[in-house]
Amino acid sequence: MSKIKIGIVGTGYIGNVHARIFSRDERCEIAALYDIKPERAERTAKSVGGKVCFSREELLENCDAVLVTAPNKTHKEIAAHAVAENKHVFCEKPFSIGLDDAKKLLEIAQKGKGVFQVGHNRRYAPVYAKLKELLNEDKAHSAHVKMNRGELKNPVWTGDPEITGGFLYETTIHLFDMMRFQFGEIAELIAYGSQHEYPELDEFSIIFKFKSGFHCTFASSSDASWHFPFERIEVFCHHRTILTEEMERLFDSKGFDANFETLSWHMTEKEERWGYVQEDRAFIDAIEKGTEPPVTALDGYKAVELVESVYQAIKTGERIKFQ
Ligand SMILES: NC(=O)c1ccc[n+]([C@@H]2O[C@H](COP(=O)([O-])OP(=O)(O)OC[C@H]3O[C@@H](n4cnc5c(N)ncnc54)[C@H](O)[C@@H]3O)[C@@H](O)[C@H]2O)c1
């Protein structure tokens, strides 16, 4: 069987992370690279190979599968173009920005012939896979979740809501997806937000109620320090607390005393600890087997819907209910 030809649009930070991982998978090869700054594509080509292309059209002529790893506001157009050319698509988060574009891209992706996968890598991180396993054995009652960033300065565009779509589209959206993955579909939410350091809402407090009756509080700040852990999920079950710290550790405390078990992945390579290796393998598996990928266009859409609902709740002061 011939190798799957990978094309990468946007060879910045995360484009290179995926490029390195795919270059080690024998089932595929890095075939084509395109970046609006050609020197970036050239640099990537030097480390993992691939033809440096000077337009998206040229890239699409030279690959079977496209990684969309340019900044947020470009995702819809690039992904839709790739689907139109019958390519398999791996679209980094966010799926797109704004509900209108998300709806259009969902329709396009669902009619496409190839695989469409969204880059919510955390689902594959060992710490969150373990949390899901433990929650399948127990019944969670409620949770407290936080997802902070230290700043919106690196890359520079992360501080520009015209490009990101808003702070919640940056890292917070990962844990919105994670909540659906761990706790199921959301029934309603209320939210408060305020603006401090950046020219947009940058501090959030949200309460989610799930269809199962489960509920959780959620805090997210764009201008916290990078104090460890910047992301944490604390789940309360029957005389039990399960706590995660970033992608590093999970604590499981059961019963009536303060004992707990600790699982740690700090010795695991970051690419695997954060789930990137596993999500990239899943993408190639889905292409080879013709199966649905584990994180679909609909999952990507639902994460965007949550982001937009939180902004709407803050703007209107109303409780948002989902069908
Ligand atoms: N899943 C994750 O953990 C994760 C981590 C980081 C970034 N991301 C997402 O990946 C995307 C890229 O983030 P990054 O940190 O790699 O940014 P980056 O700035 O490091 O890289 C983006 C690259 O895209 C290029 N580019 C910009 N517009 C383009 C266009 N129209 N066509 C082709 N290339 C273009 C830029 O020149 C740059 O080289 C963002 O959407 C971000 O949200 C996801």
Side-chain angles (χ1 to χ4, degrees):
M1 207 166 136
S2 61
K3 292 192 177 199
I4 297 160
K5 290 190 182 132
I6 306 279
I8 307 181
V9 182
T11 51
Y13 166 67
I14 204 71
N16 277 288
V17 170
H18 292 300
R20 285 195 298 274
I21 296 169
F22 283 114
S23 73
R24 299 195 298 260
D25 188 328
E26 287 175 354
R27 300 171 296 169
C28 58
E29 63 180 309
I30 306 295
L33 305 163
Y34 170 63
D35 195 291
I36 47 165
K37 296 190 172 160
E39 67 278 11
R40 294 195 175 177
E42 274 155 21
R43 201 164 52 212
T44 303
K46 277 189 192 130
S47 74
V48 295
K51 177 178 165 55
V52 175
C53 301
F54 293 89
S55 69
R56 223 156 63 205
E57 289 70 21
E58 188 187 357
L59 175 126
L60 290 168
E61 279 164 18
N62 286 282
C63 66
D64 310 310
V66 178
L67 313 186
V68 182
T69 50
N72 305 4
K73 84 163 184 191
T74 66
H75 291 185
K76 188 239 162 190
E77 191 197 320
I78 299 172
H81 188 182
V83 174
E85 294 295 325
N86 294 324
K87 306 297 171 189
H88 303 287
V89 177
F90 175 94
C91 179
E92 255 309 342
K93 52 58 61 177
F95 176 63
S96 61
I97 59 179
L99 266 188
D100 287 350
D101 272 3
K103 273 183 196 148
K104 283 180 200 145
L105 185 56
L106 179 63
E107 214 173 288
I108 290 167
Q110 289 184 330
K111 283 190 190 141
K113 294 204 178 99
V115 169
F116 196 109
Q117 183 171 323
V118 182
H120 284 296
N121 56 296
R122 278 160 173 77
R123 288 192 184 205
Y124 312 81
V127 70
Y128 289 129
K130 185 68 190 179
L131 176 62
K132 189 155 175 70
E133 189 188 309
L134 296 177
L135 293 180
N136 281 340
E137 294 163 5
D138 208 330
K139 186 167 164 37
H141 300 166
S142 68
H144 179 57
V145 180
K146 82 158 178 184
M147 183 74 205
N148 286 345
R149 272 186 72 112
E151 33 64 28
L152 295 180
K153 291 184 181 297
N154 184 24
V156 178
W157 58 263
T158 55
D160 182 349
E162 291 296 312
I163 298 179
T164 60
F167 163 65
L168 294 178
Y169 281 105
E170 274 306 288
T171 20
T172 314
I173 195 171
H174 277 298
L175 282 207
F176 284 0
D177 175 68
M178 184 54 57
M179 286 193 306
R180 288 187 56 243
F181 179 59
Q182 299 289 353
F183 311 131
E185 294 300 337
I186 289 159
E188 53 185 72
L189 66 86
I190 53 173
Y192 300 91
S194 52
Q195 186 254 321
H196 304 271
E197 299 294 325
Y198 297 100
E200 58 168 318
L201 292 174
D202 52 16
E203 203 94 16
F204 296 82
S205 300
I206 310 161
I207 302 179
F208 291 101
K209 187 176 159 207
F210 291 71
K211 293 198 169 148
S212 63
F214 182 86
H215 46 91
C216 88
T217 53
F218 191 112
S220 195
S221 164
S222 68
D223 55 310
S225 70
W226 282 114
H227 172 68
F228 181 89
F230 56 75
E231 81 187 61
R232 181 177 61 210
I233 299 184
E234 217 172 339
V235 191
F236 312 110
C237 310
H238 177 70
H239 292 294
R240 182 178 192 183
T241 293
I242 309 170
L243 176 101
T244 62
E245 290 187 331
E246 291 181 25
M247 268 60 80
E248 304 263 334
R249 280 200 290 266
L250 181 147
F251 301 94
D252 187 6
S253 171
K254 287 186 230 172
F256 296 97
D257 59 33
N259 287 333
F260 59 87
E261 249 182 285
T262 310
L263 293 173
S264 174
W265 286 271
H266 73 280
M267 295 297 281
T268 307
E269 286 288 338
K270 180 175 176 186
E271 287 173 355
E272 203 169 327
R273 190 170 72 233
W274 283 49
Y276 296 125
V277 171
Q278 300 89 321
E279 73 172 344
D280 290 353
R281 196 183 301 134
F283 182 55
I284 302 297
D285 287 348
I287 294 174
E288 278 198 340
K289 294 178 189 149
T291 52
E292 196 172 72
V295 186
T296 61
L298 183 61
D299 291 316
Y301 172 81
K302 292 220 167 198
V304 171
E305 188 184 39
L306 280 176
V307 167
E308 290 298 329
S309 303
V310 170
Y311 282 122
Q312 197 197 337
I314 294 167
K315 203 162 119 193
T316 60
E318 283 170 9
R319 178 186 302 248
I320 306 289
K321 294 190 177 180
F322 297 88
Q323 294 298 326

